[in-house]
Amino acid sequence: MKLESKVPAGGLSQKWTNHKFNLKLVNPANKRKYDVIVVGTGLAGASAAASLAELGYNVKIFCFQDSPRRAHSIAAQGGINASKNYPNDGDSTYRLFYDTIKGGDYRSREANVYRLAEVSNNIIDQCVAQGVPFAREYGGLLDNRSFGGAQVSRTFYARGETGQQLLLGAYSALMRQVGLKQVQMFTRREMLDVVLIDGKARGIVVRNLINGDVESYAADAVLLCTGGYGNVFYLSTNAKGSNGTAVWRAYKKGAFFGNPCFTQIHPTCIPVSGSYQSKLTLMSESLRNDGRIWVPKNPGDKRAPGQIPEEERDYFLERKYPSFGNLVPRDVASRNAKEMVDADKGVGSTGVAVYLDFNDAIKRLGRDKIEEKYGNLFEMYELITAEDPYHVPMRIYPASHYTMGGLWVDYNLMTTVPGLFALGECNFSDHGANRLGASALMQGLADGYFVIPYTLGGYLAEMKKEKVSTDHPAFKECEENIKQNVRKLLSVKGKRTVDDFHRELGNIMWNFVGMSRSENGLKTAVEKIRTLREEFWNDVYIPGSNEELNQSLEKAGRVADFLELGELMAEDALQRRESCGGHFREESQTEENEAKRDDENFAFVAAWEYKGQNVKPELHKEQLVFENVQPSQRSYK
Amino acid sequence: MAKNMNLKLKVWRQKNKEDKGRFQIYDATNVSPDMSFLEMIDVVNEELIKKGEDPIAIDHDCREGICGSCGVYINGRPHGPLREITTCQLYMRHFHDGQTIVIEPWRAAAFPVIKDLIVDRSAFDRIIAAGGFISVNTGGAPDANAIPITKDDQEWSLDAAECIGCGACVAACKNASAMLFVSAKASHLVRLPQGKIERERRALAMVAQMEKEGFGSCTNTEACSAECPKGISMDAIAQLRREYFKANFKVRK
Ligand SMILES: Cc1cc2nc3c(=O)[nH]c(=O)nc-3n(C[C@H](O)[C@H](O)[C@H](O)COP(=O)(O)OP(=O)(O)OC[C@H]3O[C@@H](n4cnc5c(N)ncnc54)[C@H](O)[C@@H]3O)c2cc1C
Ligand code: FES
């Protein structure tokens, strides 16, 4: 199979315009004859479903939570980017495009990223029209802030709850269509398979999480909007339910997986406090604007922070990166924190943390100013740790946060399975090897509001319309497989709990497929994951039955998939013998121990094709062509 | 460092909607004060599973107080003893060694129990579907700065928009009224110029759906606002009453 990115011809700024014109249209009166399934109600899913329903398509939408409003997008804090240039500080579509390509360390497609920048402004307009109460200036116009080291202020925000407000906007648009009966909503359903008929995606099979019923739904196209797989690390900033099952099952049905090893580790999270730890809370990166990161100079120094004199502290980021200091990019900050902990300089009772100290900032600006800027974050920190950051330095440590990898899609957001699309965090597009702050929300909404309404039409207009029903043998076969899988899980009746396995997998991933990766480590990871997977299928214990609400069973299915996905991540990291973006290969460093990218050999998207259980997947390469930007090595010294 | 604790949990167990349900006592031993409440439940559940018993079912997802999934009665109060936090933001340091903690699901006719501590809150979604939106389609929006909005209005709107739809307000109310939830949405939208256009229709439609769902009526006890994890104020309810009154008046005319 040949990978076709379907990037339209023409100049960068004309591609999307031309493409929209060239795409075939579905006649307005015919739209109601098409059924579309959307899996996921986060920013990507809710915006897509609402927009498609407004156009007249019949939409069915699914989520595993009890309400569409609870999708993980709700938790995003910082903001959403757009190139409005309201502050008059030199932003433009081209600059946002350029920053995103560069931020992704030249591992994304120019045309996709340009389109993203191009529609970014429409998103803000749309959200405001829906009633999203973005922050404003006294004059009544929208306020912007600079985020994640960007040199222009292009981030729109609503306090620390931007994701919530954006999702509530998309959710209200979705619920309006539910009220109009143009969308049918299915909550507490978990998609467990995509159904292919004549090689095309024609429906899904889900498990009803309340009573265990296996249900089939047919459609003319299926959109996966199921979020990221950061929870493969067990501990992450993602919601507990976030998982990779939908994309993994799609992968097994023939959708290629793009750049699975590209994950983002966020440096400022509240560290682990004990073995019972269930998730890690992100604290806004803005803290690094005023906080100073340090550890004791001497390994094993267990004194309280106040007792460590100035000359015995190592402000390691300031020391190593004098021009960027504490504001180095996420991956550099994360990796350096880990290095300190590995050198036994970690702080706090677990020794797995570094200090983020506001003492100097408070002296310089006064407590009031700090309170005004970070009051909420300080409160949140104190709520969780019972320590007062105005007096004791915060303890922070990196955590898994976002997955740039995901299902490979072409310019139309279609996977390698015709009729199966992927939107939002669950696709691989746009962010390359690293994502800029405030760009995930932008991408989810771009995909849902402004890309898929066009590209889906193009697909449907060209496909031969044939009705299928869920009585088709392909549905029956999927249903049977799912039931069998559930029976298999329940019948292991071993001794270890699902969480126990998940925790162990997370450890392997964190240690060998985390911030810093090496040939040996990755090979070890593959071995360890295989062994663990075998153990899982021999020794997992899942209480209860299928025919009830069974949270252990839900988790078991997700962990079983993570145990396979984790291996693919390691394989992908293994083949990518370069450092780029969030992926740091120890073998590929500069003399100053910084990441070294290898454009000659690795300027491609790795797209993996499933070849069968326990068979090595096949690697396909989509070569990346840079016609408009000149890849440059990053330097933060 | 504070010492670990031993606690007794008195937990509502109910197999499904039809089951009558009952309290069951469990020991939670060696509980670290730095554990979150949900982590404490996780640990108890791990033990239950290892003993071959059915773990306690409880809804949760983000575990940082924003998705609105979690939410149980803890010692007679929605989301536990602290103000303005959700169940997942509650830490065990707020309990003491030897304490008994009573854990129950939301109790309201409109929120039937699905299992143990999990209830069905889909009534909230249906209220939003009835009118909790601004009717704009994707694509036609004017420039975001075309209509200035005072900072005051924006802040007020956002205060109300912070509602996480957890249902604590309903659970706290002796009448199981959903007024705070409904009024939070109405207030969020009506304070913005974009949302004023449909104000009457919205107020009437949402209130009608609320009544249809079997929520009780509001008698202004203010328990909802006191227990709201986001501190949504009674002003929202006052605002909705005005909206509703005006809308009704207009419709009758
Ligand atoms: C703590 C935190 C803060 C963040 N802050 C920012 C920020 O400030 N700015 C920014 O741009 N980005 C931020 N991000 C990233 C951003 O929030 C996400 O990338 C984005 O919201 C993902 O949206 P989505 O629509 O793709 O998926 P999600 O919102 O994750 O939605 C996934 C949906 O899929 C459903 N689903 C999944 N699997 C199945 C299945 N098998 N069957 C049925 N349904 C399924 C779920 O129920 C859910 O509805 C943050 C992320 C985190 C974790
Ligand atoms: S789990 Fe999301 S609010 Fe508690």
Side-chain angles (χ1 to χ4, degrees):
Chain A
M1 161 144 201
K2 207 175 152 291
L3 279 177
E4 276 186 73
S5 67
K6 306 244 173 74
V7 170
L12 188 62
S13 62
Q14 286 311 304
K15 284 182 196 288
W16 179 230
T17 309
N18 292 345
H19 190 62
K20 281 191 288 187
F21 180 73
N22 291 329
L23 282 167
K24 282 226 172 81
L25 298 174
V26 178
N27 166 319
N30 277 341
K31 291 204 176 81
R32 63 186 163 78
K33 294 183 187 151
Y34 289 97
D35 296 317
V36 181
I37 282 176
V38 179
V39 187
T41 60
L43 288 180
S47 59
S51 306
L52 294 171
E54 288 159 9
L55 288 171
Y57 295 109
N58 299 308
V59 179
K60 292 189 176 70
I61 187 165
F62 299 79
C63 69
F64 62 73
Q65 291 94 343
D66 70 322
S67 163
R69 67 182 291 155
R70 310 215 196 278
H72 170 58
S73 295
I74 201 94
Q77 304 167 352
I80 176 167
N81 286 333
S83 59
K84 283 280 193 187
N85 193 31
Y86 285 156
N88 196 29
D89 58 357
D91 205 4
S92 62
T93 301
Y94 196 85
R95 189 178 297 283
L96 177 54
F97 152 75
Y98 179 78
D99 288 354
T100 309
I101 282 271
K102 180 166 176 252
D105 220 5
Y106 304 96
R107 291 294 171 265
S108 41
R109 242 183 241 147
E110 280 188 343
N112 284 57
V113 177
Y114 192 87
R115 174 177 64 191
L116 176 66
E118 211 177 335
V119 302
S120 66
N121 293 341
N122 301 96
I123 297 174
I124 304 303
D125 299 343
Q126 188 62 34
C127 293
V128 167
Q130 288 168 345
V132 171
F134 284 124
R136 297 202 170 244
E137 316 250 19
Y138 281 107
L141 302 184
L142 289 156
D143 189 23
N144 284 128
R145 62 182 172 199
S146 140
F147 200 70
Q151 285 173 306
V152 290
S153 289
R154 62 158 73 102
T155 305
F156 294 78
Y157 65 100
R159 292 185 193 143
E161 304 140 356
T162 316
Q164 181 199 24
Q165 294 310 315
L166 294 175
L167 184 61
L168 292 182
Y171 159 79
S172 66
L174 168 66
M175 294 318 285
R176 171 174 164 240
Q177 294 301 319
V178 170
L180 294 169
K181 305 224 168 2
Q182 200 62 39
V183 175
Q184 254 181 295
M185 177 74 233
F186 298 86
T187 59
R188 295 199 196 269
R189 302 295 205 292
E190 180 151 36
M191 183 208 108
L192 295 177
D193 215 347
V194 193
V195 180
L196 270 54
I197 295 173
D198 297 332
K200 295 195 195 87
R202 295 308 303 266
I204 60 170
V205 182
V206 305
R207 182 170 172 274
N208 181 324
L209 301 181
I210 296 181
N211 56 22
D213 283 353
V214 172
E215 307 165 349
S216 284
Y217 299 90
D220 297 295
V222 175
L223 277 47
L224 298 185
C225 312
T226 52
Y229 50 88
N231 272 345
V232 67
F233 291 94
Y234 185 68
L235 290 179
S236 88
T237 62
N238 291 10
K240 288 295 283 178
S242 298
N243 69 87
T245 285
V247 291
W248 193 248
R249 308 279 167 111
Y251 164 71
K252 287 181 149 183
K253 279 292 171 76
F256 290 7
F257 210 116
N259 298 330
C261 82
F262 286 168
T263 50
Q264 185 175 77
I265 311 277
H266 201 292
T268 50
C269 303
I270 300 179
V272 171
S273 72
S275 59
Y276 47 80
Q277 191 83 29
S278 62
K279 82 155 273 168
L280 295 168
T281 301
L282 171 79
M283 282 188 305
S284 168
E285 173 152 63
S286 62
L287 289 170
R288 287 198 279 143
N289 287 328
D290 287 300
R292 297 181 69 195
I293 296 178
W294 64 275
V295 291
K297 267 193 184 141
N298 302 317
D301 188 341
K302 288 287 161 215
R303 285 175 294 175
Q307 251 118 56
I308 302 179
E310 202 54 38
E311 59 280 6
E312 288 179 52
R313 300 177 176 191
D314 180 10
Y315 295 88
F316 54 95
L317 291 178
E318 296 171 20
R319 170 172 57 81
K320 289 172 75 174
Y321 309 94
S323 55
F324 277 74
N326 295 298
L327 292 173
V328 291
R330 290 177 179 177
D331 58 305
V332 180
S334 297
R335 216 155 41 235
N336 277 281
K338 178 176 187 288
E339 247 173 54
M340 294 300 137
V341 165
D342 290 348
D344 197 22
K345 295 179 184 176
V347 302
S349 61
T350 58
V352 187
V354 298
Y355 287 128
L356 178 62
D357 198 336
F358 288 87
N359 200 14
D360 287 349
I362 292 172
K363 273 194 211 138
R364 183 163 40 94
L365 304 166
R367 180 181 160 128
D368 288 356
K369 191 83 201 156
I370 293 297
E371 198 167 333
E372 186 187 308
K373 274 174 129 170
Y374 308 113
N376 285 348
L377 293 164
F378 278 36
E379 261 174 48
M380 177 173 89
Y381 181 84
E382 188 169 358
L383 184 68
I384 295 176
T385 62
E387 283 175 3
D388 173 9
Y390 292 103
H391 295 109
V392 188
M394 281 186 177
R395 288 170 293 111
I396 55 164
Y397 203 59
S400 152
H401 179 56
Y402 182 86
T403 49
M404 283 75 70
L407 292 180
W408 183 92
V409 289
D410 64 16
Y411 189 70
N412 294 319
L413 302 183
M414 191 157 89
T415 68
T416 48
V417 173
L420 182 67
F421 294 77
L423 286 67
E425 189 174 341
C426 80
N427 73 23
F428 90 104
S429 81
D430 299 9
H431 305 297
N434 214 350
R435 173 178 72 78
L436 294 181
S439 283
L441 302 180
M442 170 173 71
Q443 183 224 331
L445 291 179
D447 290 359
Y449 285 134
F450 297 110
V451 178
I452 201 71
Y454 296 90
T455 59
L456 179 71
Y459 169 77
L460 293 175
E462 295 213 7
M463 89 179 241
K464 205 161 112 236
K465 181 100 183 87
E466 275 169 292
K467 264 270 167 258
V468 297
S469 98
T470 53
D471 296 329
H472 192 285
F475 279 96
K476 296 297 149 212
E477 193 189 318
C478 287
E479 289 174 15
E480 205 33 62
N481 287 343
I482 287 168
K483 287 180 191 159
Q484 210 178 324
N485 199 43
V486 168
R487 278 196 294 270
K488 200 171 140 197
L489 281 168
L490 286 170
S491 65
V492 179
K493 298 232 175 292
K495 286 194 199 62
R496 290 177 65 185
T497 63
V498 176
D499 277 349
D500 201 24
F501 280 103
H502 196 175
R503 230 175 265 124
E504 187 172 339
L505 172 67
N507 261 328
I508 300 172
M509 298 303 293
W510 184 248
N511 290 329
F512 302 108
V513 200
M515 279 176 270
S516 172
R517 300 152 174 191
S518 70
E519 172 114 18
N520 277 339
L522 290 166
K523 285 185 172 152
T524 312
V526 170
E527 282 311 308
K528 281 181 184 281
I529 296 168
R530 283 188 188 155
T531 315
L532 187 65
R533 191 162 66 225
E534 206 166 298
E535 247 178 88
F536 175 87
W537 285 103
N538 286 316
D539 201 23
V540 71
Y541 175 70
I542 301 158
S545 68
N546 172 56
E547 290 73 27
E548 60 180 327
L549 191 150
N550 186 340
Q551 292 176 311
S552 304
L553 180 59
E554 291 165 26
K555 280 194 274 190
R558 296 170 191 164
V559 172
D561 290 338
F562 277 141
L563 281 163
E564 296 180 3
L565 169 57
E567 183 179 335
L568 186 70
M569 290 168 69
E571 284 293 351
D572 185 42
L574 205 48
Q575 69 78 24
R576 195 169 279 279
R577 292 185 314 281
E578 66 159 349
S579 295
C580 64
H583 167 72
F584 185 75
R585 269 296 294 262
E586 289 167 16
E587 296 87 347
S588 183
Q589 307 187 27
T590 64
E591 277 159 24
E592 296 153 309
N593 301 94
E594 296 306 323
K596 196 167 122 201
R597 214 177 57 227
D598 176 357
D599 290 335
E600 202 171 316
N601 297 301
F602 292 96
F604 62 78
V605 176
W608 294 89
E609 180 181 9
Y610 180 72
K611 287 286 182 187
Q613 204 67 26
N614 297 323
V615 180
K616 201 175 157 57
E618 187 180 339
L619 174 63
H620 301 259
K621 296 179 183 175
E622 179 197 337
Q623 211 59 41
L624 291 166
V625 193
F626 296 97
E627 291 171 338
N628 299 278
V629 294
Q630 190 58 43
S632 60
Q633 257 331 321
R634 17 176 236 171
S635 168
Y636 296 97
K637 287 281 169 183
Chain B
M1 204 187 242
K3 265 192 25 220
N4 285 3
M5 303 171 277
N6 294 324
L7 305 158
K8 280 226 177 314
L9 307 183
K10 194 174 160 194
V11 186
W12 185 258
R13 302 303 308 263
Q14 181 173 340
K15 272 200 100 46
N16 50 42
K17 217 169 160 175
E18 287 73 38
D19 185 19
K20 279 183 63 170
R22 70 215 61 84
F23 278 109
Q24 191 109 18
I25 311 273
Y26 299 99
D27 286 320
T29 51
N30 204 21
V31 173
S32 156
D34 288 330
M35 274 182 185
S36 74
F37 184 84
L38 292 181
E39 283 167 346
M40 183 274 295
I41 302 268
D42 289 343
V43 171
V44 170
N45 273 342
E46 289 280 291
E47 290 304 314
L48 287 177
I49 295 171
K50 283 183 191 146
K51 282 194 276 183
E53 291 177 39
D54 200 23
I56 303 157
I58 181 166
D59 257 335
H60 64 89
D61 201 17
C62 73
R63 294 203 176 192
E64 47 191 68
I66 193 76
C67 74
S69 296
C70 68
V72 290
Y73 250 88
I74 301 168
N75 287 343
R77 292 188 59 185
H79 295 301
L82 272 66
R83 279 185 83 102
E84 295 199 15
I85 59 164
T86 55
T87 300
C88 60
Q89 291 175 300
L90 177 61
Y91 279 76
M92 295 314 290
R93 62 182 74 99
H94 302 293
F95 298 90
H96 57 80
D97 193 29
Q99 195 174 350
T100 298
I101 308 179
V102 184
I103 311 170
E104 296 168 82
W106 291 164
R107 309 261 188 207
F111 288 166
V113 172
I114 295 175
K115 184 176 180 180
D116 298 342
L117 305 171
I118 298 182
V119 299
D120 178 353
R121 288 170 290 197
S122 52
F124 273 6
D125 287 330
R126 289 188 291 274
I127 292 174
I128 300 297
F133 46 77
I134 294 176
S135 300
V136 288
N137 286 356
T138 304
D143 184 87
N145 261 347
I147 308 171
I149 300 175
T150 68
K151 203 174 166 66
D152 235 27
D153 280 338
Q154 176 260 324
E155 294 274 346
W156 212 92
S157 168
L158 183 51
D159 283 342
E162 281 180 348
C163 166
I164 57 174
C166 65
C169 47
V170 174
C173 176
K174 66 178 168 53
N175 309 322
S177 165
M179 255 318 245
L180 194 65
F181 170 78
V182 175
S183 66
K185 183 47 64 187
S187 299
H188 154 211
L189 296 175
V190 81
R191 205 56 189 255
L192 303 169
Q194 291 86 349
K196 286 200 169 54
I197 298 159
E198 292 171 276
R199 62 196 299 171
E200 283 108 16
R201 204 179 74 82
R202 178 180 312 120
L204 293 175
M206 283 172 68
V207 170
Q209 187 65 32
M210 169 176 82
E211 285 168 357
K212 208 164 125 191
E213 296 290 349
F215 291 103
S217 51
C218 170
T219 53
N220 268 325
T221 67
E222 305 192 9
C224 52
S225 178
E227 297 294 1
C228 173
K230 295 292 151 183
I232 309 256
S233 114
M234 290 298 289
D235 294 351
I237 293 188
Q239 168 97 32
L240 177 60
R241 282 193 198 287
R242 282 196 301 275
E243 289 296 311
Y244 186 74
F245 180 76
K246 273 198 254 168
N248 244 330
F249 185 70
K250 232 175 159 169
V251 170
R252 284 213 210 98
K253 257 202 322 196

